[in-house]
Amino acid sequence: MELSAPAGLESLARSVAEQLGADRNEEDADTGRVRVVYADGRALELAPNRPRTRITVTAVLPEQATAHGIEVKAITITALPRPRPSESQAKATARHTTDHIRQRLLPAHTTALAELRERTAPQVATLQRADAALSGFLDRPRGGVAISEQPVRRPLGLTVRCAVAWWHTTLDGPSRAVAPFMADVLRRAGLATTEPHGSGYVFFAEPPAEQSDTRFRIAPAAGGEGWDLVDEFTGACVRTYDDREWAQGIAENANGEEDAARRAAVASMDLPGLSADLIEDEQFRALAAELATAGHMPYGLDDVDYTQTPGFHIYPSAEPGRAKVARLLEPWGAIRPGARFEAPEREVERYDKDMEAYARLLTRPGQTVAVMLDGIQVTHNDPPNRP
């Protein structure tokens, strides 16, 4: 079989993919190699061997395999087996190659992926550490903290087991409103976290011993077309994009923000519902978490439609030690702090009801709440110890 031309190797890979039940084959014009790709992302790479009468087949493993010392040795197969009666050389080569892959390569590939899955599974100590950190979130009759493992499909056939935490409610499931504040608590406990776009889950893991400049990378989407933005620390997919260049730009921005946070030595450079100068103040974080766990939405989540969902925003009062809680609704012509009377009457009525709900929630011994025209003012007698 002639393998000196790319078309010959591509034709062989197509036949092998059909016999193995793989999804497709992909040619790399730069290297001259061809991949046989399964629907779950597993991949085998075919390359001609010099002299071009032999083929080298390699099982492609995720990048994490190298860090754990896991490898699968490539196999070499003759490209010129003796054809059976009434069998062309091309068919004989495809049959011979497929048989060797099934017998010599696929079992080792499966074993390597299983070993990597075990080595990257969340450790009991990590789950216990997260549980201790989140113990400050008080359970409510309709909500509470949950910690578990979740399987996440990754390219190259690896389904990783990732540690997740979420705030559950009896009616609505994981709460998107609470996720950022749970993630903040876990980061302050020294864990790495990921909040997938639009999800109420918080993925967490022990950070690597050596920091990497490329925490976020893109990979072919595990669930279909497009590109996944993957957090290498936690194994979570942040979001899936249609355009590769756009996804790569998002990854670069995410890596830049991660580097800036590390240099600044802060747990959270941004928390929805809090102005930037209040994020490191414990009492303001406690206010935001209290509102979120009651079901109110913090303003600033980019996957929430604030034309329909009012969001709360906490900012400093003119007097030290006091906070103001505003209720916001986009677009900008709706209610904003100090512009209450510019809104339609029905919105003013909704505004008043929301402020009363905020005030009832935050009124307790040691904490004074006053309803004002542009929001509510909260005065703490004793700073709270909760996150």
Side-chain angles (χ1 to χ4, degrees):
M1 185 175 187
E2 179 57 55
L3 297 178
S4 58
L9 189 62
E10 197 277 335
S11 177
L12 172 62
R14 184 166 56 249
S15 297
V16 169
E18 291 176 357
Q19 295 184 42
L20 290 174
D23 185 59
R24 64 189 185 279
N25 57 281
E26 301 173 347
E27 181 181 355
D28 188 332
D30 294 331
T31 64
R33 299 180 178 184
V34 180
R35 282 192 176 188
V36 172
V37 183
Y38 287 82
D40 63 4
R42 285 177 298 143
L44 308 172
E45 194 169 72
L46 278 65
N49 205 341
R50 296 181 180 179
R52 294 179 182 267
T53 58
R54 301 181 72 80
I55 306 160
T56 298
V57 187
T58 306
V60 183
L61 292 174
E63 294 179 3
Q64 305 100 304
T66 302
H68 291 279
I70 299 173
E71 63 178 357
V72 176
K73 291 184 178 180
I75 63 174
T76 302
I77 307 165
T78 180
L80 298 173
R82 179 177 297 177
R84 292 172 179 171
S86 303
E87 185 180 48
S88 68
Q89 184 63 65
K91 288 186 177 180
T93 301
R95 170 185 52 78
H96 185 74
T97 302
T98 302
D99 288 345
H100 276 264
I101 290 173
R102 283 198 180 109
Q103 296 171 16
R104 300 168 55 197
L105 193 61
L106 290 185
H109 195 189
T110 300
T111 300
L113 291 174
E115 183 180 356
L116 181 58
R117 190 178 296 115
E118 286 301 316
R119 292 198 184 188
T120 55
Q123 300 298 309
V124 173
T126 302
L127 300 176
Q128 292 175 339
R129 185 175 172 189
D131 184 60
L134 292 172
S135 62
F137 272 96
L138 297 179
D139 285 346
R140 296 177 176 275
R142 294 180 55 207
V145 171
I147 297 175
S148 184
E149 293 182 20
Q150 187 174 100
V152 178
R153 285 183 61 190
R154 289 272 68 84
L156 306 179
L158 180 68
T159 298
V160 295
R161 290 157 52 196
C162 297
V164 295
W166 68 94
W167 177 266
H168 66 85
T169 62
T170 55
L171 297 179
D172 304 321
S175 171
R176 181 72 184 100
V178 185
F181 305 103
M182 295 183 70
D184 176 69
V185 171
L186 292 172
R187 287 192 293 270
R188 292 177 191 279
L191 296 167
T193 69
T194 311
E195 301 163 59
H197 182 82
S199 168
Y201 292 103
V202 178
F203 288 72
F204 63 90
E206 298 287 347
E210 297 183 5
Q211 293 292 335
S212 171
D213 293 333
T214 54
R215 170 175 177 173
F216 297 93
R217 65 176 180 85
I218 62 171
E225 298 293 329
W227 297 86
D228 285 344
L229 175 62
V230 178
D231 183 349
E232 288 288 329
F233 289 5
T234 65
C237 172
V238 182
R239 194 174 185 181
T240 301
Y241 298 90
D242 295 330
D243 183 81
R244 189 182 193 282
E245 291 186 6
W246 181 263
Q248 184 60 49
I250 297 294
E252 292 172 359
N253 289 339
N255 284 318
E257 291 174 3
E258 165 68 14
D259 182 64
R262 186 167 62 247
R263 292 176 183 274
V266 296
S268 303
M269 297 190 73
D270 176 68
L271 274 178
L274 287 170
S275 59
D277 55 339
L278 300 183
I279 291 172
E280 290 303 309
D281 191 305
E282 184 179 348
Q283 70 176 6
F284 292 115
R285 292 201 313 277
L287 282 178
E290 187 78 22
L291 288 166
T293 54
H296 301 293
M297 190 65 66
Y299 187 82
L301 295 171
D302 60 5
D303 52 345
V304 173
D305 181 3
Y306 289 102
T307 63
Q308 303 295 325
T309 303
F312 68 82
H313 181 65
I314 300 173
Y315 60 103
S317 173
E319 301 179 43
R322 292 184 176 181
K324 280 196 173 182
V325 181
R327 180 267 207 189
L328 305 181
L329 182 72
E330 287 186 341
W332 293 99
I335 294 173
R336 308 291 300 177
R340 176 182 179 224
F341 298 109
E342 297 177 11
E345 185 174 346
R346 65 180 183 279
E347 293 296 342
V348 173
E349 184 178 351
R350 288 179 61 191
Y351 179 95
D352 290 339
K353 289 182 178 179
D354 285 345
M355 288 298 97
E356 290 170 3
Y358 292 174
R360 284 195 300 271
L361 176 66
L362 298 176
T363 299
R364 64 173 61 87
Q367 188 166 287
T368 304
V369 178
V371 180
M372 309 180 75
L373 289 178
D374 58 351
I376 62 174
Q377 181 171 272
V378 182
T379 304
H380 289 282
N381 297 335
D382 297 305
N385 295 321
R386 291 183 289 116

